[in-house]
Amino acid sequence: AQSVTQLDSHVSVSEGTPVLLRCNYSSSYSPSLFWYVQHPNKGLQLLLKYTSAATLVKGINGFEAEFKKSETSFHLTKPSAHMSDAAEYFCVVSDRYGGSQGNLIFGKGTKLSVKP
Amino acid sequence: DSGVTQTPKHLITATGQRVTLRCSPRSGDLSVYWYQQSLDQGLQFLIQYYNGEERAKGNILERFSAQQFPDLHSELNLSSLELGDSALYFCASSSSGTPFNEQFFGPGTRLTVL
């Protein structure tokens, strides 16, 4: 069965410092992986997605993620945090041939706080 | 603004009641997805419709049902409501029937069951 584990429920960084949000996945087949962001009282927005092309994926707002099959990881990074990055971030897996019928399986989320 | 609209924004009701949540997808999108977000279960996929037909089912209870109308808007019906149904319900839309493409999420409907 497919699953995704976000290793930190809360991450706090200072503005201008790097961001690292960690995600590990479990999938029987070749997964598609996504990061979504949810700002307070808003719906979710896609940051980036990996679908078996380049392992380093660039997304919006300076975020990127690297797919590492050997480590079953898909960590999200950003070189320099901005106050507007404060939000909740969800790592998501979709397994085309698995029991989820290809639909999205969400992690529990990581709340990112950015201190001035 | 994603272009996906959901009504109402907030809904407060009592146990045992029935409610209907409405979603209008982005113009041209044929797929509609429903999700439930709660503190204990996190974000869970409920059901997907594509061009009026049910395409996939997730963790949707038998007390819940959905449909997609010819104009592509969708409704999620929740009946015999329980306290545990209190959650944020999101609708998302995409242009294709596969969930691998980007899904655009609405702002959600917050349901409170008292």
Side-chain angles (χ1 to χ4, degrees):
Chain A
Q2 308 77 39
S3 66
V4 61
T5 302
Q6 292 183 244
L7 297 158
D8 306 293
S9 59
H10 191 200
V11 169
S12 182
V13 301
S14 296
E15 192 175 20
T17 64
V19 175
L20 169 64
L21 305 183
R22 298 181 296 163
C23 172
N24 286 106
Y25 70 90
S26 168
S27 173
S28 305
Y29 304 97
S30 296
S32 293
L33 292 157
F34 308 79
W35 276 98
Y36 276 84
V37 61
Q38 183 179 24
H39 289 277
N41 301 313
K42 301 268 188 179
L44 284 83
Q45 180 185 18
L46 180 68
L47 273 181
L48 50 81
K49 68 177 181 182
Y50 165 79
T51 53
S52 76
T55 56
L56 183 62
V57 183
K58 292 192 186 302
I60 62 171
N61 300 334
F63 284 95
E64 61 182 41
E66 187 171 7
F67 173 71
K68 290 187 176 179
K69 188 174 179 179
S70 60
E71 298 176 11
T72 60
S73 70
F74 190 58
H75 301 334
L76 181 71
T77 60
K78 182 173 179 176
S80 175
H82 192 272
M83 296 297 291
S84 61
D85 295 327
E88 188 149 23
Y89 292 78
F90 293 91
C91 183
V92 184
V93 66
S94 177
D95 194 329
R96 193 182 294 263
Y97 301 109
S100 68
Q101 303 173 55
N103 282 293
L104 303 183
I105 309 289
F106 285 79
K108 295 282 189 195
T110 297
K111 189 163 283 191
L112 176 65
S113 300
V114 182
K115 297 174 289 191
Chain B
D1 185 356
S2 67
V4 178
T5 60
Q6 290 187 248
T7 56
K9 281 190 166 44
H10 301 276
L11 201 46
I12 302 175
T13 188
T15 54
Q17 295 298 304
R18 173 189 165 96
V19 297
T20 298
L21 313 183
R22 183 188 167 102
C23 168
S24 292
R26 289 189 324 155
S27 177
D29 282 358
L30 298 178
S31 264
V32 169
Y33 305 79
W34 286 98
Y35 294 88
Q36 179 194 60
Q37 185 178 33
S38 62
L39 282 174
D40 51 346
Q41 299 285 335
L43 249 167
Q44 292 194 96
F45 165 68
L46 295 179
I47 196 164
Q48 177 202 359
Y49 277 81
Y50 178 74
N51 203 21
E53 302 280 329
E54 183 183 303
R55 176 63 68 98
K57 251 182 178 175
N59 297 323
I60 188 166
L61 299 172
E62 283 192 16
R63 301 183 284 109
F64 296 0
S65 65
Q67 53 184 324
Q68 187 179 27
F69 294 85
D71 67 352
L72 301 176
H73 91 272
S74 177
E75 292 181 357
L76 178 68
N77 300 295
L78 314 176
S79 61
S80 303
L81 285 167
E82 302 175 1
L83 295 177
D85 297 328
S86 295
L88 198 47
Y89 291 84
F90 285 109
C91 158
S93 74
S94 71
S95 55
S96 78
T98 169
F100 310 112
N101 290 336
E102 180 173 358
Q103 294 184 26
F104 295 86
F105 282 76
T109 293
R110 183 169 295 282
L111 173 67
T112 303
V113 182
L114 300 175

